[in-house]
Amino acid sequence: MLSVEEATRRVAATIQPLPAEFLALPLAAGRILREDLHADRDFPPFNRVAMDGIAVRFETLAAGLTELPIERTQFAGQAPTPQLDPQAATEIMTGAMLPEGTDTVIRYEDLAFRTDETTGQRFATVQVLPPHAGHNVHRRAADRRQGDLLLPAGTYLGAAELAVAATIGATTVAVTRLPRVAVVSTGDELVSIADRPLPHQIRRSNALMLQAAAEQTGAITQAFHFNDDVAVLQQSLPALLTEFDAVILSGGVSKGKADFLPEVLRELGVKQIFHEVQQRPGKPFWFGQSAGGAVVFALPGNPVSTFVNFYRYARPWLLGVLQPTAAALPEAGPVPAVLSTDVSFRPKLTHFLLVRLEHASNGQLLAYPERAGGSGDLASLLASNAFLELPPEQELFAAGTVLPAWRFR
């Protein structure tokens, strides 16, 4: 039986970046960039006015002239007109191009205005002198120069990244294609969620759970259900192995007389990478890869086993094939958490303990174990937001022990 560490390594060894596709920029939110994007011009592309006020020559103020006639008004988006009189001022708005003949901007708050009643000429009196030439001017290329790398391949395209791509005119971008995932529930006891189950039946909740978890990770999913029938499995699974990047199955992988999946998958040419992991819950976990590259996560059918195995193995795999930059997406790995109370676990297995994570006043992340009725207790997931990973080398875990916690919300 494989250790959790070795199972993790073998799953990670199958991670390959998905191919790129081109998308219109507005459709690329949340995707991973697959090309380098460079500045097509300087940032900012001109000497940009940073405050509403007046544009002047600093030398004029330094010479002692503090009352200046307003030569004209210029708004953002207007082509600039040179200021002809070095002893005058141009009333100017934020975002406008600094007019030739000026080098400094004084904000409205530092000015007083008057109008000559005879001529109608407006004057601005500078009440607070600027400290230096170039005050309140965002200089051309102060941020980036034309040709600078702005967004390297591998960047997660969030709101700021999309805005930068837009400002350089990237109307379409190459991004990683989303992983296509087939979610398969198996079992004769399962009925549609719309059906009223008989006493010996249950609704198909695992498939919906896996679909939601995979889609929250960034995958495109499609759900299927197959009964415990070897012929049906042999006929139905080959198409999924061809059309999808990953197939995630729930049920049919243990040692019962109706657990046909491991044998059928091997018959279909899926290479078994491992079967059974030294862990609880989720020990019967089967993992393999088809000749065409599709990976198969065949998870035990008990809902908590299915859930924990997805977040421990399948979710990191999905994030890996998306190829994000470090810390760009929600954590694929665990975070350290402090156990709030003593816990004992005797079997020589890695134990995934459902917990509620909360931040203490000192900033520590505390893990409070939640009551669970075993791997079939689906409702136990409601009070939890993570599971602790307890190593198999010890039986008693004292309060205060720091352990890895895998978040699922």
Coordinates of all heavy atoms in Angstrom, one line a residue, residues 175-259:
V175 N -4.1 32.0 -23.9 CA -4.3 31.5 -22.6 C -4.3 30.0 -22.5 O -4.6 29.3 -23.5 CB -5.6 32.1 -21.9 CG1 -5.6 33.6 -21.9 CG2 -6.8 31.6 -22.7
T176 N -4.1 29.4 -21.3 CA -4.2 28.0 -21.2 C -5.6 27.5 -21.3 O -6.6 28.1 -20.7 CB -3.7 27.6 -19.8 OG1 -2.3 28.0 -19.7 CG2 -3.8 26.1 -19.6
R177 N -5.8 26.5 -22.2 CA -7.2 26.0 -22.3 C -7.6 25.4 -20.9 O -6.8 24.8 -20.2 CB -7.2 24.9 -23.4 CG -8.5 24.1 -23.5 CD -8.5 23.1 -24.6 NE -7.6 22.0 -24.5 CZ -7.7 21.0 -23.7 NH1 -8.7 20.9 -22.8 NH2 -6.8 20.0 -23.7
L178 N -8.9 25.5 -20.6 CA -9.4 25.0 -19.4 C -9.4 23.4 -19.4 O -9.7 22.9 -20.5 CB -10.8 25.5 -19.1 CG -10.9 27.0 -18.8 CD1 -12.4 27.3 -18.5 CD2 -10.0 27.4 -17.7
P179 N -9.1 22.8 -18.3 CA -9.2 21.3 -18.4 C -10.6 20.8 -18.5 O -11.5 21.3 -17.9 CB -8.6 20.9 -17.0 CG -8.7 22.1 -16.1 CD -8.6 23.3 -17.1
R180 N -10.7 19.8 -19.3 CA -12.0 19.1 -19.5 C -12.1 17.9 -18.7 O -11.3 17.0 -18.8 CB -12.2 18.8 -21.0 CG -12.2 20.0 -21.9 CD -12.6 19.6 -23.4 NE -11.5 18.7 -23.9 CZ -10.6 19.1 -24.9 NH1 -10.7 20.4 -25.3 NH2 -9.7 18.3 -25.3
V181 N -13.1 17.8 -17.8 CA -13.2 16.8 -16.8 C -14.5 16.1 -16.9 O -15.6 16.7 -16.9 CB -13.0 17.3 -15.4 CG1 -13.2 16.3 -14.3 CG2 -11.7 18.0 -15.2
A182 N -14.5 14.7 -17.0 CA -15.7 13.9 -17.0 C -15.9 13.4 -15.5 O -14.9 12.9 -14.9 CB -15.6 12.7 -17.9
V183 N -17.0 13.7 -15.0 CA -17.3 13.3 -13.6 C -18.3 12.1 -13.7 O -19.4 12.2 -14.3 CB -17.9 14.4 -12.8 CG1 -18.4 13.9 -11.4 CG2 -16.9 15.5 -12.6
V184 N -17.9 11.0 -13.1 CA -18.7 9.8 -13.3 C -19.1 9.2 -12.0 O -18.2 8.9 -11.1 CB -17.9 8.7 -14.1 CG1 -18.8 7.4 -14.3 CG2 -17.5 9.3 -15.5
S185 N -20.4 9.0 -11.7 CA -20.9 8.3 -10.6 C -21.2 6.9 -11.0 O -21.7 6.7 -12.1 CB -22.1 9.0 -9.9 OG -23.1 9.1 -10.9
T186 N -20.9 5.9 -10.2 CA -21.2 4.5 -10.5 C -22.0 3.9 -9.3 O -21.9 4.3 -8.2 CB -20.0 3.7 -10.7 OG1 -19.2 3.6 -9.5 CG2 -19.1 4.3 -11.8
G187 N -22.9 2.9 -9.6 CA -23.6 2.2 -8.6 C -25.1 2.0 -8.9 O -25.7 3.0 -9.4
D188 N -25.6 0.8 -8.7 CA -27.0 0.5 -9.0 C -27.9 1.2 -7.9 O -29.1 1.4 -8.2 CB -27.2 -1.0 -8.9 CG -26.5 -1.7 -10.0 OD1 -26.0 -1.0 -11.0 OD2 -26.3 -2.9 -9.9
E189 N -27.3 1.6 -6.8 CA -28.2 2.2 -5.7 C -28.5 3.6 -5.9 O -29.2 4.2 -5.2 CB -27.5 2.0 -4.4 CG -26.3 2.9 -4.1 CD -25.0 2.4 -4.7 OE1 -25.0 1.6 -5.7 OE2 -23.9 2.9 -4.3
L190 N -27.9 4.3 -6.9 CA -28.0 5.7 -7.1 C -29.1 6.1 -8.1 O -29.3 5.4 -9.1 CB -26.7 6.3 -7.7 CG -25.4 6.0 -6.8 CD1 -24.2 6.6 -7.5 CD2 -25.6 6.7 -5.4
V191 N -29.9 7.1 -7.7 CA -30.9 7.6 -8.5 C -30.7 9.1 -8.7 O -30.0 9.7 -8.0 CB -32.3 7.3 -7.9 CG1 -32.6 5.8 -7.8 CG2 -32.5 8.0 -6.6
S192 N -31.5 9.7 -9.7 CA -31.4 11.1 -10.0 C -31.8 11.9 -8.7 O -32.6 11.5 -7.9 CB -32.3 11.4 -11.1 OG -32.5 12.8 -11.2
I193 N -31.2 13.1 -8.6 CA -31.6 14.0 -7.5 C -33.0 14.4 -7.5 O -33.6 14.8 -6.5 CB -30.7 15.2 -7.4 CG1 -30.8 16.1 -8.6 CG2 -29.2 14.8 -7.2 CD1 -30.0 17.4 -8.5
A194 N -33.7 14.3 -8.7 CA -35.1 14.6 -8.9 C -36.0 13.5 -8.5 O -37.2 13.7 -8.3 CB -35.4 15.1 -10.3
D195 N -35.5 12.3 -8.3 CA -36.3 11.1 -8.0 C -36.5 11.0 -6.5 O -35.7 11.5 -5.7 CB -35.6 9.8 -8.5 CG -35.6 9.8 -10.0 OD1 -36.4 10.5 -10.7 OD2 -34.8 9.0 -10.6
R196 N -37.6 10.3 -6.1 CA -37.8 10.0 -4.7 C -37.2 8.6 -4.5 O -37.7 7.6 -5.0 CB -39.3 9.9 -4.4 CG -39.6 9.6 -2.9 CD -41.1 9.5 -2.7 NE -41.7 10.8 -2.8 CZ -41.8 11.7 -1.9 NH1 -41.2 11.5 -0.7 NH2 -42.4 12.9 -2.2
P197 N -36.1 8.5 -3.8 CA -35.4 7.2 -3.6 C -36.2 6.2 -2.8 O -36.9 6.6 -1.9 CB -34.1 7.5 -2.9 CG -34.4 8.8 -2.2 CD -35.4 9.5 -3.0
L198 N -36.2 4.9 -3.2 CA -36.7 3.9 -2.4 C -35.8 3.7 -1.1 O -34.7 4.2 -1.1 CB -36.8 2.6 -3.2 CG -37.7 2.7 -4.4 CD1 -37.6 1.4 -5.3 CD2 -39.2 2.9 -4.0
P199 N -36.3 2.9 -0.2 CA -35.5 2.8 1.1 C -34.1 2.3 0.8 O -33.2 2.6 1.6 CB -36.3 1.8 1.9 CG -37.7 2.0 1.4 CD -37.6 2.3 0.0
H200 N -33.9 1.5 -0.2 CA -32.5 1.0 -0.5 C -31.7 1.8 -1.5 O -30.6 1.4 -1.9 CB -32.7 -0.5 -1.0 CG -33.5 -0.6 -2.3 ND1 -34.8 -0.5 -2.3 CD2 -33.0 -0.7 -3.6 CE1 -35.2 -0.6 -3.6 NE2 -34.2 -0.7 -4.3
Q201 N -32.2 3.0 -1.8 CA -31.5 3.8 -2.8 C -31.1 5.2 -2.2 O -31.6 5.6 -1.1 CB -32.5 4.1 -4.0 CG -32.9 2.8 -4.8 CD -33.9 3.2 -5.8 OE1 -34.8 4.0 -5.6 NE2 -33.8 2.5 -7.0
I202 N -30.2 5.8 -2.9 CA -29.7 7.2 -2.5 C -29.6 8.0 -3.7 O -29.5 7.5 -4.8 CB -28.4 7.2 -1.7 CG1 -27.3 6.5 -2.5 CG2 -28.6 6.5 -0.3 CD1 -25.9 6.6 -1.9
R203 N -29.7 9.3 -3.5 CA -29.5 10.2 -4.7 C -28.1 10.4 -5.1 O -27.2 10.3 -4.2 CB -30.2 11.6 -4.4 CG -31.7 11.5 -4.2 CD -32.3 12.9 -4.0 NE -33.7 12.8 -3.9 CZ -34.4 12.8 -2.8 NH1 -33.7 12.8 -1.6 NH2 -35.7 12.8 -2.7
R204 N -27.8 10.9 -6.3 CA -26.5 11.0 -6.8 C -25.9 12.4 -6.4 O -25.7 13.3 -7.2 CB -26.5 10.9 -8.3 CG -26.9 9.6 -8.9 CD -27.1 9.7 -10.4 NE -27.9 8.6 -10.9 CZ -28.6 8.6 -12.1 NH1 -28.6 9.7 -12.8 NH2 -29.3 7.6 -12.5
S205 N -25.4 12.4 -5.2 CA -24.9 13.7 -4.6 C -23.4 13.8 -4.9 O -22.9 14.9 -5.1 CB -25.1 13.8 -3.1 OG -24.5 12.6 -2.5
N206 N -22.7 12.7 -5.0 CA -21.2 12.7 -5.2 C -20.9 13.4 -6.6 O -19.9 14.2 -6.6 CB -20.6 11.4 -5.2 CG -20.3 10.9 -3.8 OD1 -20.7 11.6 -2.8 ND2 -19.7 9.7 -3.6
A207 N -21.6 13.1 -7.6 CA -21.3 13.6 -8.9 C -21.5 15.2 -8.9 O -20.6 15.9 -9.4 CB -22.2 13.0 -10.0
L208 N -22.5 15.6 -8.3 CA -22.7 17.1 -8.2 C -21.6 17.7 -7.4 O -21.1 18.8 -7.7 CB -24.1 17.4 -7.6 CG -24.5 18.9 -7.5 CD1 -24.5 19.5 -8.9 CD2 -25.9 19.0 -6.8
M209 N -21.3 17.1 -6.3 CA -20.2 17.6 -5.4 C -18.9 17.7 -6.2 O -18.2 18.7 -6.2 CB -20.0 16.6 -4.2 CG -18.9 17.0 -3.3 SD -18.9 15.9 -1.8 CE -18.4 14.3 -2.6
L210 N -18.5 16.7 -7.0 CA -17.3 16.7 -7.7 C -17.3 17.7 -8.9 O -16.3 18.4 -9.1 CB -17.0 15.3 -8.3 CG -16.6 14.2 -7.3 CD1 -16.5 12.9 -7.9 CD2 -15.2 14.6 -6.7
Q211 N -18.5 17.8 -9.5 CA -18.6 18.8 -10.6 C -18.4 20.2 -10.0 O -17.7 21.0 -10.6 CB -20.0 18.8 -11.2 CG -20.1 17.9 -12.4 CD -21.4 18.2 -13.1 OE1 -22.5 17.8 -12.7 NE2 -21.3 18.7 -14.3
A212 N -19.0 20.5 -8.9 CA -18.9 21.9 -8.3 C -17.5 22.1 -7.9 O -16.9 23.2 -8.2 CB -19.8 22.0 -7.1
A213 N -16.8 21.2 -7.3 CA -15.4 21.3 -6.8 C -14.5 21.5 -8.0 O -13.6 22.4 -8.0 CB -15.0 20.2 -6.0
A214 N -14.7 20.7 -9.1 CA -13.8 20.9 -10.2 C -14.1 22.2 -11.0 O -13.1 22.8 -11.4 CB -14.1 19.7 -11.2
E215 N -15.3 22.6 -11.1 CA -15.6 23.9 -11.8 C -15.1 25.1 -11.0 O -14.6 26.0 -11.5 CB -17.1 24.0 -12.0 CG -17.5 23.0 -13.1 CD -19.0 23.1 -13.4 OE1 -19.7 23.9 -12.7 OE2 -19.5 22.3 -14.2
Q216 N -15.1 25.0 -9.6 CA -14.6 26.1 -8.8 C -13.0 26.1 -9.0 O -12.4 27.2 -8.7 CB -14.9 25.8 -7.3 CG -16.4 26.1 -7.0 CD -16.8 25.7 -5.6 OE1 -16.0 25.0 -4.9 NE2 -18.0 26.1 -5.2
T217 N -12.4 25.0 -9.4 CA -11.0 25.0 -9.6 C -10.6 25.5 -11.0 O -9.5 25.7 -11.3 CB -10.5 23.6 -9.4 OG1 -10.9 23.1 -8.1 CG2 -8.9 23.5 -9.4
G218 N -11.6 25.6 -11.9 CA -11.4 26.1 -13.2 C -11.6 25.2 -14.3 O -11.4 25.5 -15.5
A219 N -12.2 24.0 -14.0 CA -12.4 23.0 -15.1 C -13.8 23.2 -15.7 O -14.7 23.8 -15.2 CB -12.3 21.6 -14.5
I220 N -13.9 22.6 -16.9 CA -15.2 22.4 -17.6 C -15.6 21.0 -17.4 O -14.8 20.1 -17.7 CB -15.0 22.8 -19.1 CG1 -14.6 24.2 -19.3 CG2 -16.3 22.5 -19.8 CD1 -14.2 24.5 -20.8
T221 N -16.8 20.8 -16.9 CA -17.1 19.4 -16.5 C -18.4 18.9 -17.3 O -19.2 19.7 -17.7 CB -17.4 19.3 -15.0 OG1 -18.6 20.0 -14.7 CG2 -16.3 19.9 -14.2
Q222 N -18.5 17.6 -17.3 CA -19.7 17.0 -17.8 C -19.9 15.7 -16.9 O -19.0 15.0 -16.6 CB -19.6 16.6 -19.2 CG -20.9 16.1 -19.9 CD -20.8 15.9 -21.3 OE1 -19.9 16.3 -22.0 NE2 -21.8 15.2 -21.9
A223 N -21.2 15.5 -16.5 CA -21.5 14.4 -15.5 C -22.1 13.2 -16.3 O -22.8 13.4 -17.2 CB -22.4 14.9 -14.4
F224 N -21.7 12.0 -15.8 CA -22.3 10.8 -16.3 C -22.6 9.9 -15.2 O -22.0 10.0 -14.1 CB -21.2 10.1 -17.2 CG -20.7 11.0 -18.4 CD1 -19.7 11.8 -18.2 CD2 -21.3 10.9 -19.6 CE1 -19.2 12.6 -19.2 CE2 -20.9 11.7 -20.7 CZ -19.8 12.5 -20.5
H225 N -23.4 8.9 -15.4 CA -23.7 7.9 -14.4 C -23.8 6.5 -15.1 O -24.4 6.4 -16.2 CB -25.0 8.1 -13.7 CG -25.4 7.0 -12.7 ND1 -24.7 6.8 -11.5 CD2 -26.2 5.9 -12.9 CE1 -25.2 5.7 -11.0 NE2 -26.1 5.1 -11.7
F226 N -23.1 5.5 -14.5 CA -23.1 4.2 -15.1 C -23.4 3.2 -13.9 O -22.9 3.4 -12.8 CB -21.7 3.8 -15.7 CG -21.3 4.7 -16.7 CD1 -19.9 5.2 -16.7 CD2 -22.1 5.2 -17.7 CE1 -19.5 6.0 -17.7 CE2 -21.7 6.1 -18.7 CZ -20.4 6.5 -18.7
N227 N -24.3 2.3 -14.2 CA -24.6 1.2 -13.2 C -23.4 0.2 -13.1 O -22.5 0.3 -13.9 CB -25.8 0.5 -13.6 CG -27.1 1.3 -13.4 OD1 -27.1 2.2 -12.6 ND2 -28.2 0.9 -14.0
D228 N -23.5 -0.6 -12.1 CA -22.4 -1.6 -11.9 C -22.5 -2.7 -12.9 O -23.0 -3.8 -12.5 CB -22.4 -2.1 -10.4 CG -22.1 -1.0 -9.4 OD1 -21.2 -0.2 -9.7 OD2 -22.7 -1.0 -8.4
D229 N -22.2 -2.5 -14.1 CA -22.3 -3.4 -15.2 C -21.0 -3.4 -16.0 O -20.7 -2.4 -16.6 CB -23.5 -3.1 -16.0 CG -23.8 -4.1 -17.1 OD1 -23.0 -4.3 -18.0 OD2 -25.0 -4.6 -17.1
V230 N -20.3 -4.5 -16.1 CA -19.0 -4.5 -16.8 C -19.2 -4.1 -18.2 O -18.4 -3.4 -18.8 CB -18.4 -5.9 -16.7 CG1 -17.2 -6.1 -17.6 CG2 -18.0 -6.2 -15.2
A231 N -20.2 -4.6 -18.9 CA -20.4 -4.3 -20.3 C -20.7 -2.9 -20.5 O -20.1 -2.2 -21.5 CB -21.6 -5.2 -20.9
V232 N -21.5 -2.3 -19.7 CA -21.8 -0.8 -19.8 C -20.5 0.0 -19.6 O -20.2 0.9 -20.3 CB -22.8 -0.4 -18.8 CG1 -23.0 1.1 -18.7 CG2 -24.2 -1.0 -19.1
L233 N -19.7 -0.4 -18.6 CA -18.4 0.3 -18.3 C -17.5 0.2 -19.5 O -16.8 1.1 -19.9 CB -17.8 -0.2 -17.1 CG -18.6 0.1 -15.8 CD1 -17.9 -0.7 -14.6 CD2 -18.6 1.6 -15.5
Q234 N -17.4 -1.0 -20.1 CA -16.5 -1.3 -21.2 C -16.9 -0.5 -22.4 O -16.0 0.0 -23.2 CB -16.4 -2.8 -21.5 CG -15.7 -3.6 -20.5 CD -15.9 -5.1 -20.7 OE1 -16.9 -5.5 -21.3 NE2 -14.9 -5.9 -20.3
Q235 N -18.2 -0.3 -22.6 CA -18.7 0.4 -23.8 C -18.6 1.9 -23.6 O -18.4 2.7 -24.5 CB -20.1 0.0 -24.0 CG -20.8 0.6 -25.2 CD -22.2 0.1 -25.5 OE1 -22.7 -0.6 -24.7 NE2 -22.8 0.6 -26.6
S236 N -18.8 2.4 -22.4 CA -19.0 3.8 -22.1 C -17.7 4.6 -21.8 O -17.5 5.8 -22.2 CB -20.0 4.1 -21.0 OG -21.2 3.4 -21.3
L237 N -16.7 3.9 -21.1 CA -15.5 4.7 -20.7 C -14.6 5.1 -21.8 O -13.9 6.1 -21.7 CB -14.8 3.8 -19.6 CG -15.5 3.7 -18.2 CD1 -14.7 2.8 -17.3 CD2 -15.6 5.1 -17.6
P238 N -14.4 4.3 -22.9 CA -13.4 4.6 -23.9 C -13.6 6.1 -24.4 O -12.6 6.8 -24.7 CB -13.6 3.6 -25.0 CG -14.0 2.4 -24.2 CD -15.0 2.9 -23.2
A239 N -14.9 6.5 -24.7 CA -15.1 7.8 -25.2 C -14.7 8.9 -24.3 O -14.1 9.9 -24.7 CB -16.6 7.9 -25.6
L240 N -14.9 8.6 -23.0 CA -14.5 9.6 -22.0 C -13.0 9.8 -21.9 O -12.4 10.9 -21.7 CB -15.0 9.2 -20.6 CG -16.5 9.0 -20.5 CD1 -16.9 8.8 -19.0 CD2 -17.3 10.1 -21.1
L241 N -12.3 8.7 -22.1 CA -10.8 8.7 -22.0 C -10.2 9.4 -23.2 O -9.1 9.9 -23.2 CB -10.2 7.3 -22.0 CG -10.6 6.5 -20.7 CD1 -10.2 5.0 -20.9 CD2 -9.9 7.0 -19.5
T242 N -11.0 9.5 -24.3 CA -10.6 10.2 -25.5 C -10.9 11.7 -25.5 O -10.1 12.5 -25.9 CB -11.2 9.5 -26.7 OG1 -10.8 8.2 -26.8 CG2 -10.7 10.2 -28.0
E243 N -12.1 12.0 -25.0 CA -12.6 13.4 -25.1 C -12.3 14.3 -23.9 O -12.4 15.5 -24.0 CB -14.2 13.3 -25.2 CG -14.7 12.5 -26.4 CD -16.2 12.3 -26.4 OE1 -16.8 12.9 -25.5 OE2 -16.6 11.5 -27.2
F244 N -11.8 13.7 -22.8 CA -11.5 14.5 -21.6 C -10.1 14.4 -21.2 O -9.4 13.5 -21.5 CB -12.5 14.1 -20.5 CG -13.9 14.4 -20.7 CD1 -14.7 13.4 -21.4 CD2 -14.5 15.6 -20.4 CE1 -16.0 13.7 -21.7 CE2 -15.8 15.8 -20.6 CZ -16.6 14.9 -21.3
D245 N -9.6 15.5 -20.5 CA -8.3 15.5 -19.9 C -8.2 14.6 -18.7 O -7.1 14.1 -18.3 CB -7.8 16.9 -19.6 CG -7.9 17.8 -20.8 OD1 -7.2 17.5 -21.8 OD2 -8.6 18.8 -20.8
A246 N -9.3 14.6 -17.9 CA -9.3 13.8 -16.7 C -10.7 13.2 -16.5 O -11.7 13.8 -16.9 CB -9.0 14.7 -15.5
V247 N -10.7 12.0 -16.0 CA -12.0 11.3 -15.7 C -11.9 11.1 -14.2 O -11.0 10.5 -13.6 CB -12.1 10.0 -16.4 CG1 -13.4 9.3 -16.0 CG2 -12.1 10.2 -17.9
I248 N -12.9 11.6 -13.5 CA -13.0 11.4 -12.0 C -14.2 10.6 -11.7 O -15.4 11.0 -12.0 CB -13.1 12.8 -11.3 CG1 -11.9 13.7 -11.7 CG2 -13.1 12.6 -9.8 CD1 -12.0 15.0 -11.0
L249 N -14.0 9.4 -11.2 CA -15.1 8.4 -10.9 C -15.3 8.3 -9.4 O -14.3 8.5 -8.6 CB -14.7 7.1 -11.5 CG -14.5 7.0 -13.0 CD1 -13.0 6.6 -13.3 CD2 -15.4 6.0 -13.6
S250 N -16.5 8.0 -9.0 CA -16.8 7.9 -7.6 C -17.5 6.5 -7.5 O -18.6 6.3 -8.0 CB -17.7 9.0 -7.1 OG -18.2 8.8 -5.8
G251 N -16.9 5.6 -6.7 CA -17.5 4.3 -6.4 C -16.9 3.2 -7.3 O -16.3 3.5 -8.4
G252 N -17.1 2.0 -6.9 CA -16.7 0.8 -7.7 C -15.2 0.5 -7.7 O -14.7 -0.1 -8.7
V253 N -14.4 1.0 -6.7 CA -12.9 0.8 -6.8 C -12.4 0.0 -5.6 O -11.2 -0.2 -5.5 CB -12.2 2.1 -6.8 CG1 -12.5 2.8 -8.1 CG2 -12.5 3.0 -5.6
S254 N -13.3 -0.5 -4.7 CA -12.8 -1.2 -3.5 C -12.7 -2.7 -3.9 O -12.4 -3.1 -5.0 CB -13.8 -1.0 -2.4 OG -13.2 -1.5 -1.2
K255 N -13.0 -3.6 -2.9 CA -12.9 -5.0 -3.2 C -14.2 -5.8 -3.1 O -14.2 -7.0 -3.0 CB -11.9 -5.6 -2.1 CG -10.5 -5.0 -2.2 CD -9.6 -5.6 -1.2 CE -8.1 -5.1 -1.4 NZ -7.2 -5.6 -0.4
G256 N -15.3 -5.1 -3.3 CA -16.6 -5.7 -3.3 C -16.8 -6.5 -4.7 O -16.1 -6.2 -5.6
K257 N -17.8 -7.3 -4.7 CA -18.1 -8.1 -5.9 C -18.6 -7.3 -7.0 O -18.6 -7.7 -8.2 CB -19.0 -9.2 -5.6 CG -18.4 -10.3 -4.6 CD -19.3 -11.5 -4.5 CE -18.7 -12.6 -3.6 NZ -19.5 -13.8 -3.5
A258 N -19.1 -6.0 -6.8 CA -19.5 -5.2 -7.8 C -18.5 -4.0 -8.1 O -18.8 -3.1 -8.9 CB -20.9 -4.6 -7.5
D259 N -17.3 -4.1 -7.6 CA -16.3 -3.1 -7.8 C -15.5 -3.5 -9.0 O -14.4 -4.0 -8.9 CB -15.4 -2.9 -6.6 CG -16.2 -2.3 -5.4 OD1 -17.1 -1.5 -5.7 OD2 -15.9 -2.6 -4.2

